[in-house]
Amino acid sequence: MTNERKSCEVVFHVRRFNPETDEKPYWQQFTVKVEPGMTVLDGLHQIKRQHDFSLAWRYSCRMGVCGSCGMLINGSATLACNTQILDISDRNLTIAALPNFKIIRDLVSDLSPMFEKHVAVLPYMLRDDIQEMHEPTGEYYQSPDDLLEYLQFTYCIKCGCCMAACPTMATDDAFLGPQPLAQAYRYTIDNRDDGTDRRKKAVTVEHGLFRCHYGGECSAVCPKGVDPARAIQLMKKQLFFDFLKLTKHKTPAHVLGRPEGVERNPKIPEPPPYTVEQE
Amino acid sequence: MLQLKRHPNKLGIGGWLLKGRWGYERYLYILHRITGLGILTYFLLHIFVTSSRVLGMKTWEAVMGVLHHPVFMLGEYAVYAAFIFHALNGIRLILIEYGFAVGKAEEPVYPYRSSVNVQRPLGVGVMVLAVILALVGAARFFMLNGG
């Protein structure tokens, strides 16, 4: 760590793997001239420009929003675009693909198992009033306190850093993992949702919620402060009290009708037509 | 479509300790598993040893004679220390895993403060207590057995 930021040369140790030519990954070194303010992503671009154009990684927004550039940097799963090189080291930097996911090429991990598990926990609003969901007549009631119950968990960008840092994921492929479980809680605790029972079945499977034993690493590495570990423990608490029959039956939020005597502002455009066929 | 091979990159058991810079709670997680397995191994050995009594007094005394070897005495203390850690950390985990020590959901404002920070005093507290009890136990254990 440097107190006084000066440009210097940093050796990037990059874990490479080409599925067409390599049997297993190997480490390659590149010396990069680093200026203060440069991110790891900038360093990788410099390697691509000046040393080896074949280096592959995934990125898009460059500002910690899209969640594409998650990788293992100096042993910690984080976003390359969100990490300044001189914050970590002024000598050596090790960069590898996110562990616990298969490597497609170089620093590109195959995140598809995470997305499949994410879908499995039903991460969307489940309610009986399908007609109201499709043709809304008003808004569902939600107080600011209701919003705070789940707001933190909506910031997930699905970068996969939590899955890479989870010690249970390290030995159990089938474990649902912190990202999907946090999203299961995000919808379950939403007062507009009525799908607790269905989602409970989805998360209390053999490799589900109760396989988490609080390593805390998912929350420590999350670049967006989502805190999946907290979501998982709060969901356990919810299910525990539910098991003891100590929870009140939750009635999903009702529809707030449109206020009477108020005209629709003509400047507000009508919603666009459906792009998919409705049931 | 061309299907290229993927390289497996699972950390495995080695990843519990190596291959990363992990936080305090993750090392507690690992130690909890190791001590749990250690206590289970001791429990099985204990049943095996005490069952030697049915083979007669001579066998029993021979087995007890072997167990008075310093290596086994050190092992016994290791079981005591493992038990202290496992019990105290287990209480911490029960409080955490049932959502009582992780705080409420809050809007993430940078620098983020997660449930890990909320439960940290509890984690540090139980470990300090574990060290104190292990030291007290060591004094009594080795003085009594030594003297």
Side-chain angles (χ1 to χ4, degrees), chain B residues 7-146:
Chain B
H7 184 78
N9 196 25
K10 200 166 73 167
L11 288 179
I13 290 175
W16 285 357
L17 279 173
L18 312 169
K19 302 177 189 173
R21 289 182 298 126
W22 313 121
Y24 172 65
E25 283 72 20
R26 183 162 162 164
Y27 288 110
L28 292 186
Y29 168 101
I30 295 153
L31 203 54
H32 197 77
R33 289 199 157 187
I34 293 169
T35 51
L37 289 171
I39 293 165
L40 181 67
T41 309
Y42 169 78
F43 180 63
L44 295 173
L45 280 173
H46 182 66
I47 292 172
F48 176 73
V49 167
T50 48
S51 66
S52 66
R53 182 67 185 85
V54 295
L55 299 173
M57 202 60 193
K58 273 191 177 175
T59 316
W60 169 252
E61 278 173 359
V63 170
M64 294 316 286
V66 172
L67 291 181
H68 276 100
H69 191 276
V71 172
F72 284 101
M73 285 169 62
L74 199 64
E76 246 180 330
Y77 175 72
V79 170
Y80 164 77
F83 170 76
I84 291 294
F85 169 82
H86 200 84
L88 290 171
N89 194 47
I91 293 167
R92 167 186 157 263
L93 284 176
I94 289 168
L95 290 173
I96 287 172
E97 291 203 31
Y98 288 99
F100 296 108
V102 290
K104 285 184 174 177
E106 55 192 65
E107 188 172 2
V109 178
Y110 193 82
Y112 306 124
R113 188 172 175 273
S114 72
S115 60
V116 178
N117 306 96
V118 174
Q119 64 76 52
R120 182 66 57 81
L122 178 67
V124 173
V126 294
M127 284 311 105
V128 169
L129 193 57
V131 170
I132 291 169
L133 287 175
L135 290 175
V136 170
R140 286 186 61 84
F141 194 90
F142 292 111
M143 274 179 203
L144 284 177
N145 287 295

Side-chain angles (χ1 to χ4, degrees), chain A:
Chain A
M1 186 89 105
T2 49
N3 292 326
E4 201 180 315
R5 298 290 168 86
K6 279 190 268 180
S7 55
C8 57
E9 289 199 332
V10 174
V11 180
F12 278 51
H13 303 258
V14 183
R15 195 165 184 242
R16 308 286 309 266
F17 174 70
N18 183 343
E20 290 172 314
T21 55
D22 302 330
E23 277 301 310
K24 58 181 185 178
Y26 63 95
W27 291 93
Q28 192 174 2
Q29 296 180 10
F30 304 98
T31 304
V32 174
K33 189 166 185 234
V34 172
E35 302 289 340
M38 262 179 79
T39 63
V40 174
L41 187 64
D42 295 331
L44 292 173
H45 277 294
Q46 203 175 112
I47 292 172
K48 203 168 179 75
R49 276 197 303 270
Q50 296 176 353
H51 300 280
D52 188 346
F53 64 87
S54 70
L55 180 65
W57 72 94
R58 192 193 285 125
Y59 79 102
S60 182
C61 74
R62 303 174 187 233
M63 54 184 186
V65 173
C66 73
S68 300
C69 62
M71 47 189 83
L72 197 71
I73 300 169
N74 268 18
S76 187
T78 188
L79 299 178
C81 68
N82 225 10
T83 309
Q84 296 218 358
I85 299 168
L86 295 179
D87 275 354
I88 311 176
S89 173
D90 54 2
R91 290 169 189 269
N92 289 292
L93 208 62
T94 61
I95 307 174
L98 284 180
N100 303 334
F101 294 107
K102 288 181 178 172
I103 303 173
I104 297 175
R105 180 175 172 142
D106 293 338
L107 304 173
V108 185
S109 306
D110 181 5
L111 300 181
S112 50
M114 178 178 77
F115 298 132
E116 285 161 16
K117 289 171 184 172
H118 182 232
V119 171
V121 300
L122 314 173
Y124 39 81
M125 210 63 74
L126 293 166
R127 289 178 67 99
D128 290 335
D129 52 354
I130 305 292
Q131 181 63 25
E132 178 62 31
M133 298 262 279
H134 286 179
E135 301 284 345
T137 59
E139 294 174 2
Y140 292 122
Y141 174 75
Q142 187 164 75
S143 71
D145 286 344
D146 293 332
L147 174 69
L148 266 184
E149 294 276 353
Y150 71 86
L151 180 65
Q152 174 170 34
F153 313 117
T154 62
Y155 289 96
C156 174
I157 54 172
K158 298 165 192 71
C159 58
C161 289
C162 57
M163 304 285 272
C166 172
T168 307
M169 289 293 305
T171 47
D172 184 1
D173 275 339
F175 177 51
L176 282 172
Q179 191 279 333
L181 289 172
Q183 293 312 298
Y185 181 70
R186 175 259 174 271
Y187 283 95
T188 304
I189 203 65
D190 191 322
N191 74 318
R192 297 166 297 179
D193 179 80
D194 192 23
T196 305
D197 290 340
R198 283 177 64 188
R199 220 167 277 114
K200 189 166 94 177
K201 280 183 191 156
V203 300
T204 52
V205 289
E206 192 185 348
H207 298 271
L209 191 70
F210 288 92
R211 279 287 172 102
C212 165
H213 300 299
Y214 203 81
E217 203 61 33
C218 54
S219 297
V221 300
C222 179
K224 304 302 283 185
V226 170
D227 204 347
R230 172 181 281 158
I232 295 170
Q233 313 321 315
L234 290 177
M235 191 162 193
K236 283 182 194 170
K237 183 183 187 179
Q238 191 190 32
L239 296 188
F240 177 59
F241 279 91
D242 193 37
F243 176 75
L244 297 176
K245 306 209 182 303
L246 292 173
T247 45
K248 288 180 189 165
H249 177 69
K250 190 179 100 179
T251 309
H254 60 274
V255 177
L256 278 179
R258 285 180 183 158
E260 287 177 15
V262 177
E263 292 291 316
R264 183 187 173 87
N265 187 337
K267 288 180 182 172
I268 299 174
E270 289 296 327
Y274 288 115
T275 53
V276 290
E277 199 176 318
Q278 298 298 298
E279 289 173 8

